[in-house]
Structures are given as structure tokens and as C-alpha cells.
Amino acid sequence: MQWETVIGLEVHVQLATKSKIFSGASTTFGAAPNTQACAIDLAMPGTLPVVNEQALRYAIMFGLAINAEINQRSVFDRKNYFYPDLPKGYQTTQLDHPIVGPGVVEIPLSDGSHKSVRIHHAHLEEDAGKSLHDDFHGMSGIDLNRAGTPLIEIVSEPDMRNAEEAIAFAKKLHAIVTSLGISDGEMAQGSMRFDVNVSVRPKGQNEYGTRTETKNLNSFRFMEKAIALEVARQIDLIEDGGSVKQETRLYNGDTGEARSMRSKEEANDYRYFPCPDLLPVEIDDAVIQELRDNLPELPDAKAARFIARYGLSDYDAELLSSDRATAEYYETVVKACDDSKLAANWVSGELSARLNADETSIAHSPVTAPQLAGLIVRIKDNTISGKIAKQVFEAMWNREGDADTIIESKGLKQMSDSGELEAIVDQVLADNPDVVEQYRAADDKKRKKLLGGFMGPIMKATKGQANPGMVNQILVKKLNT
Amino acid sequence: MAIDKAEIEKIAILSRLKISDQEASELSDRLGDILAMVDTMQAVDTSGIEPMANPLDASQRLRADTVTETDQRERFQQIAPATEDGLYLVPKVIE
Amino acid sequence: MHNNTIAELAEGLTNKTFSSEELTRHYLDRIKTLDGQFNSFITITGELALAQARRADARLANGDAAPLTGIPIAHKDIFCTDGVKTSCGSKMLDNFIPPYNAKVIEQFNQAGAVILGKTNMDEFAMGSSNESSFYGAVKNPWDTRCVPGGSSGGSAAAVAALLAPAATGTDTGGSIRQPAALCGLTGLKPTYGRVSRYGMIAFASSLDQGGPMTRSAEDAALMLNVMAAFDPRDSTCIDQAVPDYSATLNDKLDGLRIGLPREYFGDGLDPEIEQAIQAAIKEFEAMGATVKEVSLPHTELSVPCYYIVAPSEASANLSRFDGVRYGYRCENPKDLQDLYTRTRAEGFGDEVKRRILVGSYALSAGYYDAYYRKAMQLRRMIKNDFMACFDEVDVIMGPTTPNPAFGLGEKTNDPVTMYLEDIYTIAVNLAGLPGMSIPAGMTGGKPVGLQLIGNYFSEARLLNIGHRYQQATDWHQQIAAAAGGEK
């Protein structure tokens, strides 16, 4: 049997506001437990919520970026359930009247084509706190710093057909929200979390299969693995004559295993109703217009501009425009080194590989954009070769200083002293009299090849620091006389 | 509308209220009386009427995005039943 | 001293007839000696009161006193008071000491008023008799075998027994007006959004409103001048200028158009109460008002509507009481569910549990449209009824309650009959209108309340009407024998 996978995503994006969605407590990441949970966040009796204007504006910006309809009247609802990280016993969210209506996100596929993924809606809501499962004499600890952090939940239609599409969609959302500056996009800190709805059906069948929801995936890698795991599980189940049960699942990134969530097993009934402590949110045309006029450059537009202005390939342009920090980094490098191609090679090549290997983001790169530009300038002015540059980059990554300092301290400067180089060339020629003979007897084409043969020993003698152009000149001069 | 014991037990779970078997029976009667009274409103035709969530039909006022709160953990946790290392303690949370 | 209104006491303070400290001690002594028979206070804040009184005396001496500076006030135990236990009448909050003040308390502190203590109330304001309090029933000073009404029963009894010159209350379905009526007081529920709900423990958010309970309309105006204020922390609080409610108390009533809803004078109304109300209407006619019959056709349906809306909102509002961050927590919970279900079963009383269950039921899958949505539609129809009346009249008048104070324990076994006692007051909350009850007669030695309902933000007019009536009559000056009439 040929199976088709159907995937829909629910994406939680923490908005980059300074304060919480309903209180004036700070949203800074990493504070000591419960030091950023004010009376409202703790659901102290009698406390009341007031909506953060910036959270609303950020949600509208997202809607505009995906060409969605902005609902000029949206309503906050209470979603009732008990959980220790949910102090009020309900989550304030939007059910029937979300701020952002249907929209579309274009995703690039590996074959160079594009696909449209429909967005069902996006709504504003508050984040919950965290349960820490370290053992406190058999108890769990609750940290409510995150409680009340503004989120938009973006709900896609089940338009994706494999993990690749789901990842491309997730990456595109990341690119959009970071380009807009409405989220820091720091996945490791939970700024973007994915719930993946997966079902399978026989190829050609119209009805969807029963879906499961794997919750709270916070990296593209985990998402890819979790999808593969779940698709295989569902197909196995069905092929063994069983059926898929609608359930919520939890993927463990450490073990690479997934399981059904016990806390979600019991039938829930969220008893949504409009929150009487908040009033309907009305948004003026003027506010929407103002946000539309000032919308930052979006990833697609940015990629097009990179191609036109910097002469980049589609691939490089897509990659470098994929999030705001990367794009800004790239453009800073270009500005300082004045070489868009070399800059693109370095950012999408060496730097990106190093960031991946260390699982860090460009915002936390130990090599800053001006530093990388400094390195590229030294390649361009022949102070170092491309090969040596990688060595310098490695040292820069290890925070040993900027390019010039490292080149100086490690003595990596190309040897450009013609007297010194001539002596070395003379020595190599003297060591290889037969090759010299062959060269002198050969035609132009063969001469070129033989010339190359001298480079190896010369570079070896100079520890790779010889300026290849100069060596070439000296060789030609010596061999032709 | 009558409400049977099983339904009482279901909403008691949703509401996180422990009730005994006997309480469930009593509540079934009491809530039945209340719901019978409440059900008199079913006779009214409300079609086409916009539900009224707020008496003044006002709209939400917005708050500027500024941090106005300071750390008061010490004060807040003085009135908490169980804390350790700044965390609120609860019986083990199983996801 | 205790026979005086706030207005009179303020004069005494200004003229240095007595100091705030003397006044405060006097009331504290009265509470100590007399409250055993009424049970109107949950907490008496003696030390705080005296400290505040001394500060008030300094302010009075400096000449920067506000009208309520140095006046002792009792607060319903639903308003959070920084450092002072705020129980909301519940075991759940018996150990709760808020680290913040309600906006209303801030307002009184700023005005230099003195907090005498926190008054008894139905648990989480759910009740019409003050019998659902964890701290025991409150007794009506007019007849201690009877209830004082509820849920602001402690505030009503305290003022009626002259244990405090005035008190704050909250009104979700009549919880200020009904006990005011049953205890012979002036009680005003302002327009929804006029008084901040910040720090006022929520029962039903879209209905709750704080207001004064006093011995005259003039005093209620003084209290409302302090209580009414815009508060950006309450999204439902209306940013509208607060008038000086005292300034228009003496305006003439010539041409005042009074509407009498026919539905308020039908079956179920005690005939003596009806007589008293008709007599009061005659007084207004004598003052130049005109009277006509109006109709509020959905009056009867306001009770079922309310008993969906209020419990639904309450079921969510009371979810925060889970034994995790403050308040009661059951002993040795064996797991998380045990912590929740036992904490809540042990911490809440029967009436609160009933309403949580009704609310959960009304909101649950399959019932939402038939109950909650339907009730919210009905709510608009009820509001529209009032709006249609206000096209024709300036104020609606009628009885506050169908019966005078009933016996303790008389209705506790029959919640629905108890709910029907609120038939005249509930619709006002559903519509968010201001309503006031003033004493307008006696029946069998128990007070009768006349209810005045005005259009949105017409508090000044209601107080003016009440004040003119109180200039012409002396029902509000009657004092319960148990209070001891001597000065």
C-alpha cells in the first residue's frame, strides 16, 4: 500500500514585547524563578488583566505579512482547565474571533518549486509557566515567570504532505516573525514551539485519517524526527490491522522516543466563554494602515533584493534572507568588506556550518559581522590566502582576537618578499633539474601543468604562506631565462 | 432539566471538586431544581439577538508595553502553602 | 457620636468636637461590646484603625483634610487590604493576607478615612441572606432572629447597628440594595464600570460592582465621591469624569418622571411593602414628580438569566483557588488531582460548590448555546427593556425586595426560593445600570426598601432623588432597638 502523510502545524510564537500580555511584569528570559511573576501573573484574588498594545500590534503585523484579513473586532476567551503552570485555572486566548483571519505562506521546496500553505487563523494568547520536574522530595516546582508572556498561535491547514514541507513551512514562519522583529525566534529558549498534527491515508483517498498531535517541539531537527517516527508508527499500526487513536503525544528529544501524554488522556472540556474581565478589541483602519506602511522587509522581498543587488544565487539569497539576524549580519559584512559574493560564501558556508555544529544562533556568534568582514578584507588584499583564512576564522571563533591580530601573532601573512621567494624558488628548481628540462622542452599547455607541479614543494617550504601569484611570476621568469 | 448523578460526577471532575456518592445524589436534586428554574428562559425567542457580554458595549483599552512591576517574590511567597528555592511546590506533575 | 451621619461626624472633626482617634475608639468599643450579637465583622483592625486615625488627626490639624478624613469605615471582606486578612467569607481564604490594596481601599486611604475592620459576607458573595459565610450567619439588628440580607450582610448589619458610620459593599445581583433594604439603610450600586473592581475579589466579573452602604443619601454621595474613580488596571472601568455627587443633592424634583414597572407590583409582593412603596410614590408626587406605569417584560426571566451568567463566570473566576500559590491547601495531598479536588472540596462551602457546578455545566460542551449564549442574548433584551423605559421616564421605582427580612434558616434548604428574593434587583446588574435602595417604611418592625433605578451614570440624580425624599421623611433615621439609640 502507498501511504500519503498529511501534516498540519500549530505554531506558538512568543512575541518580543518588554512586558506581558496582561500585566506589567518583564518577559526577559532566564530570570530567577518567580521573580518576574507579578500579582496578576500569579492570579492573586481581585487582580485584573489589561491588554498590551504592542502584543496586539505584533499580531496584526504577522497577519499583514501573510496577507491575512485582520479582524477589526477580536475577542478574548477563557479556556478552562486545571494545571499547576496555569495560575488562573484558565488560559486567556481567542477562540471564535481571533485577531488574524485566513492567510497564506509560500514555502520553497528542494526541487526549486514553491508551494502555498494556507493559514487557518492566528490568535493571541498567554503562555503558561513551567513545571520543573527536578525532585523536591517527590514534589514538582512551579516557575511562573513565563506565565502571561504573549504568544501568537498560528494554525495551518493540513496542507503539508511530508516532513520536508513541514520543516520548510516552520522555517518560513521563523523567517517571517524574525524579519518582522515580532519575535526573537530563539528556538532553544522556547520562543517558537511547534505542535504537529500528523495523519496518514492510502494514496488517492480523499478523507483524512485519524490524526495525532505531537506537542511542544522546539527545533526543526526534533520536528523532522518526530514526524518520521509518528508516520512510521501510524503506518505500522494500520498495516498490522490496528487503528490510530486520536491522542496527544510527547516527543523526547534526548531519547528520540515519543509517547502518549497521560495528562491529556482524560476527556477534557475546556468550557470556552468570552472573558468578562476583558472587552472586545476594536482596531481602527488607521492603525492597520500605519502598520502596513511601516512593515519591515519580508523574507521573499529580501531574497529578491539580495539577488538583484548582490548578484547572489537563489539558494544563497533564500538562505541569507531566512531570518532577520542572518540577513542583517550578511549586509553588515557586505558593507564593511565590499564583496557580496565572498561575504555570501563565508556567511552561508563556514559561519553557518560552525553555528550549526555548536548549536548556536547567529545572534550569539562569537565572530561578529565586522570581524568577519575584517577577515574577508585580508583575503581580498592578498594578506592571506583563502586556505589560511579558514585557520584564522577558527581562531576567531575561539575568541583569540580579530583577523589582523591573529594573522600577526601566528605569522600567517603571505610571503610577498620577492628576494626571499626567489631564493626558495631557486632551491626548488635546483632540486628538480629533470622537471626543469621537461618544462623547457614542452609546449604551452604542458608547461602550465608542469608549472603547477612546482607549487606544492614551494608551498610546503613556506608553510603555505607564499603568495601564489608572486610565486607564479618568479617561476615563469626563472624558467624562461 | 434533570441532571443525573453521572453528569454531576463529570462536572465535579471538570471543576476539581471531590464529592462523595451521597453528595452527588443530593447535588443531582438541588441542581435539578436550579436547572428547572433556569430552563424557563428556553421559552423566549432570542433569535437574531446579539449576545451582550458587557453592559456598556465598550471596547478594550490598551496598555503601553512598559515594565511596571518589580520582583516581589519574597512577599508573594510568604503567603504560599509550600515553596522551595523560589518555586511553588506541588505533588509531582506527570505529563 | 454613633447616631450621627458621616456628614455630621465630619463636621464634628472639623470643629474639633472630637478627634478621629476618639471617634475611632468609640466605634471600636461598640464593636467589641455589641457585635457578639450580630457577627457583622470578620476582622477588626483596631491597631491599624488607630494609627490611621492619628494620621487623620494630623491632617485635620494641618488643614489639608478631605471630606472623609478621619471617618471610620467598615469594608466588606471582599476588598483586598494590604497586610490585613481578606477572606471573602470563605475557609479558602481564611489565611489569605493580600500583599496589595484594592483600588477602592486605596481611594479611602488617600481620602484619609479609617479602616475599622472587614465585614462578614456570604461566601464569595454568593447569597442573599449572609448564611453561607464560613464565619457564621449575620443577624439583622432589627430582629436578630432574621437575616440581614446578603451578600453584603455584615456591612449592612454593622451600619444598622451603628457599629460603623458607613460601609462598603458589592452588588452582583442585589448584594448592596437587598441588605440595605432589609436593614433600613441607603445602599447604592453604581453603573457597571463606575467603581474599579481591581482588588475586589471577583464573583461574576460582568456584574460585580462596589458601592456605599450608609444611613443617608447624603452620606452615600460622600462615599461615592471617594469610591468612583477611573482605574487603568480594570479594563471594564469607564474613563469618564466623576461628578461631585454632593453638589446636586438638593436639586428640585419638579417634573421628575417616575416609571413604575407593572411587573414589580404583581404576585409575590408583600402587601405591606406595596403600601409603603405607594406611599413613598405619593411623597414624590407631592414634590412635583409625575408617575406613570411602565413595563419591564422580561423581569421574571432575569432570575434564570442571572443564574446562568453569574455561576458561569464564577466557575472560572474561582478556579484560581487551587491550593498552590495562596489560601487553603488540604493536608498531605497524595497526588496533584487530590490536591485540587480536596483543597476545593474542603475550602469551599456548599452554595459556592453548587454555583461552580451549575456554571461548569452551563458552559460545558453541548450546553453552551442553550444556556450561556441564550442568557447573554436575554441579557441584551433585558437591557433593551430598560432603555425603552428611559425614553419615557427619568427614574424607575419599585420595591427592592418582595418580602421583609426573613428568618434565619428559613430558606437555606431551598436555594431556588432564596434566588427569587432577588427578582427586583437582578435585572439592574444584568443591564449594568445604577440602582439604589432607600428606607421607605416599616412592616412588622422591619424596614422596607424603595428601589430607584436610573439610566447609565445617573448616580448623581438617584442620590439627589434619595436625598430630597429623606429631607421630607424620616424612615432613614429610624434606629434598630438592638443598636441602642443613646448618643
Side-chain angles (χ1 to χ4, degrees):
Chain A
M1 171 97 61
Q2 279 268 70
W3 295 96
E4 181 177 54
T5 305
V6 176
I7 302 171
L9 258 60
E10 287 164 31
V11 184
H12 290 92
V13 179
Q14 281 186 351
L15 298 176
T17 55
K18 295 185 194 77
S19 65
K20 294 188 177 172
I21 184 165
F22 300 125
S23 82
S26 170
T27 55
T28 311
F29 181 83
N34 292 309
T35 54
Q36 290 181 171
C38 71
I40 296 167
D41 305 326
L42 295 172
M44 291 275 182
T47 59
L48 295 169
V50 184
V51 179
N52 182 336
E53 181 176 21
Q54 192 63 51
L56 196 71
R57 291 168 67 93
Y58 283 167
I60 296 169
M61 284 167 72
F62 174 75
L64 293 173
I66 61 160
N67 286 312
E69 197 174 305
I70 305 302
N71 290 319
Q72 288 182 261
R73 184 174 184 279
S74 69
V75 175
F76 284 100
D77 297 291
R78 292 181 178 179
K79 177 184 182 181
N80 294 288
Y81 66 95
F82 285 85
Y83 209 67
D85 65 11
L86 189 72
K88 293 190 293 291
Y90 56 83
Q91 180 192 32
T92 308
T93 178
Q94 299 186 310
L95 179 71
D96 289 329
H97 304 280
I99 177 97
V100 176
V104 174
V105 171
E106 295 289 326
I107 57 168
L109 301 179
S110 56
D111 64 4
S113 67
H114 284 76
K115 175 173 181 164
S116 298
V117 174
R118 292 168 302 155
I119 301 297
H120 181 271
H121 78 271
H123 63 257
L124 273 166
E125 62 182 26
E126 58 183 336
D127 209 342
K130 281 180 184 169
S131 305
L132 303 175
H133 303 295
D134 317 343
D135 199 3
F136 295 94
H137 347 282
M139 310 272 268
S140 288
I142 307 296
D143 174 10
L144 296 169
N145 279 350
R146 201 180 66 177
T149 298
L151 297 175
I152 45 171
E153 179 175 338
I154 304 160
V155 180
S156 88
E157 296 286 358
D159 284 352
M160 288 148 284
R161 293 292 171 267
N162 54 49
E164 186 210 335
E165 291 181 8
I167 305 292
F169 173 71
K171 285 188 172 167
K172 191 54 173 281
L173 286 184
H174 187 267
I176 292 171
V177 299
T178 56
S179 298
L180 292 171
I182 65 173
S183 176
D184 64 18
E186 294 286 356
M187 314 260 293
Q189 296 176 6
S191 293
M192 223 172 157
R193 311 192 295 268
F194 304 91
D195 298 345
V196 185
N197 290 296
V198 176
S199 65
V200 297
R201 62 181 172 190
K203 226 175 172 108
Q205 179 181 302
N206 267 330
E207 305 85 68
Y208 295 126
T210 304
R211 66 188 158 93
T212 63
E213 181 181 20
T214 305
K215 276 189 112 61
N216 267 327
L217 299 162
N218 68 351
S219 84
F220 301 129
R221 202 155 46 90
F222 286 167
M223 204 167 117
E224 193 167 7
K225 286 184 176 166
I227 291 171
L229 199 66
E230 182 57 14
V231 168
R233 190 186 71 92
Q234 291 189 12
I235 292 174
D236 280 354
L237 257 175
I238 300 169
E239 288 186 342
D240 288 350
S243 59
V244 177
K245 196 176 87 188
Q246 185 164 349
E247 63 181 358
T248 306
R249 299 181 63 80
L250 205 61
Y251 175 80
N252 183 332
D254 297 333
T255 62
E257 286 166 354
R259 62 169 172 84
S260 185
M261 262 176 100
R262 280 169 62 178
S263 59
K264 300 271 171 181
E265 261 177 9
E266 58 188 80
N268 236 325
D269 180 343
Y270 292 122
R271 290 157 289 144
Y272 286 95
F273 75 107
C275 178
D277 285 329
L278 293 165
L279 300 173
V281 178
E282 312 263 1
I283 301 155
D284 286 352
D285 290 329
V287 170
I288 296 175
Q289 195 53 48
E290 180 228 315
L291 289 170
R292 196 191 298 278
D293 293 345
N294 294 300
L295 214 57
E297 188 178 37
L298 288 164
D300 288 348
K302 191 165 275 177
R305 180 168 63 83
F306 282 6
I307 292 166
R309 178 158 171 198
Y310 301 127
L312 298 186
S313 67
D314 285 3
Y315 177 82
D316 277 348
E318 192 99 53
L319 201 111
L320 294 172
S321 61
S322 71
D323 75 83
R324 179 151 144 174
T326 306
E328 272 173 8
Y329 188 104
Y330 170 68
E331 292 208 89
T332 309
V333 175
V334 174
K335 219 169 187 177
C337 77
D338 200 27
D339 191 320
S340 61
K341 297 243 169 85
L342 262 182
N345 290 344
W346 275 88
V347 176
S348 65
E350 204 66 19
L351 177 70
S352 162
R354 210 60 180 75
L355 290 170
N356 278 341
D358 282 25
E359 287 182 2
T360 181
S361 69
I362 201 156
H364 299 119
S365 168
V367 179
T368 63
Q371 285 177 326
L372 182 61
L375 177 66
I376 293 170
V377 167
R378 290 298 162 250
I379 301 169
K380 281 182 65 185
D381 69 9
N382 284 323
T383 307
I384 53 171
S385 67
K387 205 167 169 187
I388 292 292
K390 289 189 181 176
Q391 217 178 308
V392 178
F393 179 82
E394 190 59 30
M396 287 165 76
W397 186 269
N398 295 327
R399 301 178 196 273
E400 290 171 35
D402 59 18
D404 286 347
T405 316
I406 292 163
I407 293 168
E408 188 61 39
S409 68
K410 300 205 174 209
L412 296 174
K413 215 179 227 170
Q414 290 194 123
M415 204 178 276
S416 299
D417 181 314
S418 53
E420 224 176 310
L421 281 178
E422 275 188 47
I424 293 166
V425 171
D426 284 339
Q427 185 59 51
V428 170
L429 292 182
D431 290 348
N432 299 282
D434 331 347
V435 191
V436 172
E437 278 315 304
Q438 277 176 37
Y439 178 91
R440 287 190 170 135
D443 60 12
D444 271 7
K445 202 174 156 196
K446 203 154 181 212
R447 277 188 171 191
K448 218 170 195 171
K449 203 175 163 193
L450 289 164
L451 201 63
F454 291 113
M455 274 304 200
I458 292 169
M459 281 299 172
K460 197 173 172 190
T462 59
K463 291 182 189 135
Q465 279 167 265
N467 181 328
M470 279 184 77
V471 172
N472 211 37
Q473 267 180 21
I474 295 165
L475 270 172
V476 172
K477 193 179 81 192
K478 300 241 176 217
L479 289 166
N480 289 350
T481 48
Chain B
M1 181 190 271
I3 176 163
D4 63 33
K5 238 178 86 181
E7 267 182 302
I8 295 282
E9 277 157 4
K10 201 187 97 194
I11 51 172
I13 291 170
L14 282 179
S15 310
R16 297 295 186 274
L17 289 169
K18 193 185 186 78
I19 52 168
S20 67
D21 211 45
Q22 196 200 329
E23 281 174 309
S25 303
E26 283 170 19
L27 280 163
S28 163
D29 293 344
R30 283 285 171 87
L31 264 58
D33 290 350
I34 295 169
L35 290 170
M37 180 272 285
V38 157
D39 268 329
T40 56
M41 72 177 185
Q42 301 302 345
V44 188
D45 180 11
T46 52
S47 52
I49 306 280
E50 175 72 12
M52 183 176 100
N54 176 264
L56 295 166
D57 287 318
S59 62
Q60 179 62 37
R61 212 172 34 244
L62 302 173
R63 183 176 62 78
D65 180 26
T66 47
V67 175
T68 53
E69 301 296 326
T70 51
D71 171 22
Q72 294 195 66
R73 185 174 79 182
E74 201 106 330
R75 284 195 79 198
F76 291 157
Q77 295 200 342
Q78 261 171 22
I79 55 170
T83 59
E84 191 170 318
D85 298 344
L87 297 160
Y88 292 96
L89 295 191
V90 297
K92 205 127 203 76
V93 176
I94 298 155
E95 281 181 313
Chain C
M1 283 188 259
H2 54 269
N3 245 346
N4 295 330
T5 62
I6 300 180
E8 290 159 354
L9 292 174
E11 213 180 294
L13 288 170
T14 313
N15 297 340
K16 311 254 185 304
T17 314
F18 43 79
S19 69
S20 173
E21 188 174 346
E22 285 164 341
L23 183 64
T24 301
R25 278 190 199 284
H26 179 72
Y27 277 107
L28 288 171
D29 286 347
R30 280 186 64 82
I31 294 168
K32 207 170 150 193
T33 354
L34 298 170
D35 197 37
Q37 44 184 326
F38 311 117
N39 193 29
S40 64
F41 281 86
I42 291 173
T43 304
I44 300 155
T45 49
E47 274 178 44
L48 170 70
L50 291 171
Q52 285 181 324
R54 284 188 282 268
R55 276 203 296 278
D57 284 330
R59 250 178 99 167
L60 284 155
N62 287 339
D64 68 344
L68 288 195
T69 303
I71 304 292
I73 308 282
H75 293 289
K76 187 175 182 179
D77 208 20
I78 199 169
F79 291 101
C80 287
T81 36
D82 196 342
V84 175
K85 178 171 108 172
T86 302
S87 73
C88 221
S90 182
K91 179 180 178 186
M92 188 61 92
L93 292 178
D94 184 45
N95 63 358
F96 178 60
I97 297 172
Y100 50 91
N101 276 321
K103 172 68 174 174
V104 162
I105 300 293
E106 282 177 6
Q107 291 291 108
F108 277 105
N109 284 348
Q110 214 163 33
V114 171
I115 303 177
L116 277 178
K118 307 293 293 292
T119 58
N120 205 340
M121 56 182 284
D122 276 301
E123 185 180 7
F124 285 103
M126 296 177 186
S128 312
S129 68
N130 217 115
E131 290 166 289
S132 76
S133 170
F134 172 64
Y135 301 93
V138 176
K139 281 144 201 145
N140 191 323
W142 292 90
D143 181 344
T144 51
R145 294 163 304 175
C146 287
V147 304
S151 65
S152 310
S155 287
V159 179
L162 310 180
L163 305 182
T168 54
T170 63
D171 190 318
T172 305
S175 285
I176 286 175
R177 290 160 290 155
Q178 185 251 18
L182 268 41
C183 291
L185 303 178
T186 300
L188 172 65
K189 181 206 94 77
T191 305
Y192 182 78
R194 176 79 287 181
V195 171
S196 170
R197 295 186 297 113
Y198 195 89
M200 190 177 105
I201 300 177
F203 162 15
S205 309
S206 76
L207 304 168
D208 296 342
Q209 189 64 198
M213 302 179 78
T214 56
R215 295 184 50 235
S216 69
E218 184 186 20
D219 281 2
L222 287 168
M223 292 279 281
L224 191 60
N225 279 337
V226 171
M227 295 177 82
F230 173 62
D231 183 1
R233 292 171 302 176
D234 174 1
S235 295
T236 61
C237 189
I238 305 292
D239 189 2
Q240 186 168 317
V242 179
D244 177 352
Y245 294 106
S246 301
T248 49
L249 285 173
N250 287 304
D251 285 5
K252 290 243 157 38
L253 302 187
D254 291 320
L256 176 76
R257 298 172 302 165
I258 297 171
L260 303 181
R262 103 174 47 103
E263 294 80 5
Y264 283 30
F265 293 89
D267 287 348
L269 176 61
D270 179 297
E272 283 194 34
I273 292 186
E274 174 157 11
Q275 275 174 25
I277 301 302
Q278 296 296 358
I281 303 299
K282 289 270 179 311
E283 283 290 340
F284 285 109
E285 282 181 303
M287 287 186 265
T290 60
V291 176
K292 73 181 284 187
E293 188 182 86
V294 292
S295 177
L296 295 168
H298 298 98
T299 298
E300 258 184 55
L301 290 166
S302 62
V303 179
C305 177
Y306 176 87
Y307 279 96
I308 289 300
V309 175
S312 295
E313 293 183 7
S315 72
N317 282 337
L318 269 60
S319 290
R320 64 189 59 197
F321 303 107
D322 59 4
V324 176
R325 298 163 311 286
Y326 48 77
Y328 179 75
R329 179 180 188 135
C330 69
E331 297 263 336
N332 305 317
K334 70 176 198 299
D335 58 29
L336 190 59
Q337 295 317 318
D338 191 43
L339 167 72
Y340 285 148
T341 59
R342 268 202 302 128
T343 293
R344 291 167 60 78
E346 294 165 15
F348 290 137
D350 289 343
E351 181 61 19
V352 172
K353 283 187 227 177
R354 271 200 288 277
R355 297 207 195 186
I356 290 174
L357 292 170
V358 168
S360 278
Y361 183 75
L363 293 173
S364 63
Y367 296 111
Y368 179 85
D369 284 345
Y371 287 121
Y372 190 75
R373 196 184 143 82
K374 182 96 184 173
M376 293 311 247
Q377 289 174 310
L378 205 50
R379 209 175 156 180
R380 186 172 297 280
M381 293 167 85
I382 288 165
K383 170 184 168 171
N384 291 345
D385 288 351
F386 279 110
M387 293 302 105
C389 285
F390 289 125
D391 284 342
E392 299 175 43
V393 299
D394 304 311
V395 63
I396 292 167
M397 288 191 194
T400 308
T401 63
N403 295 296
F406 48 89
L408 285 156
E410 201 178 297
K411 298 186 191 216
T412 40
N413 284 319
D414 189 356
V416 173
T417 317
M418 180 99 82
Y419 295 173
L420 291 171
E421 283 298 305
D422 299 331
I423 183 131
Y424 304 138
T425 48
I426 271 177
V428 173
N429 297 78
L430 290 168
L433 294 164
M436 183 163 83
S437 181
I438 54 173
M442 299 292 284
T443 168
K446 291 184 261 185
V448 170
L450 167 72
Q451 182 174 214
L452 288 65
I453 304 166
N455 209 334
Y456 297 112
F457 298 104
S458 66
E459 290 83 359
R461 187 62 167 158
L462 294 183
L463 289 162
N464 160 227
I465 297 167
H467 180 68
R468 295 296 298 209
Y469 177 78
Q470 290 174 347
Q471 297 296 100
T473 59
D474 64 357
W475 296 114
H476 66 294
Q477 286 169 339
Q478 308 288 313
I479 288 166
E486 80 285 357
K487 297 251 165 176

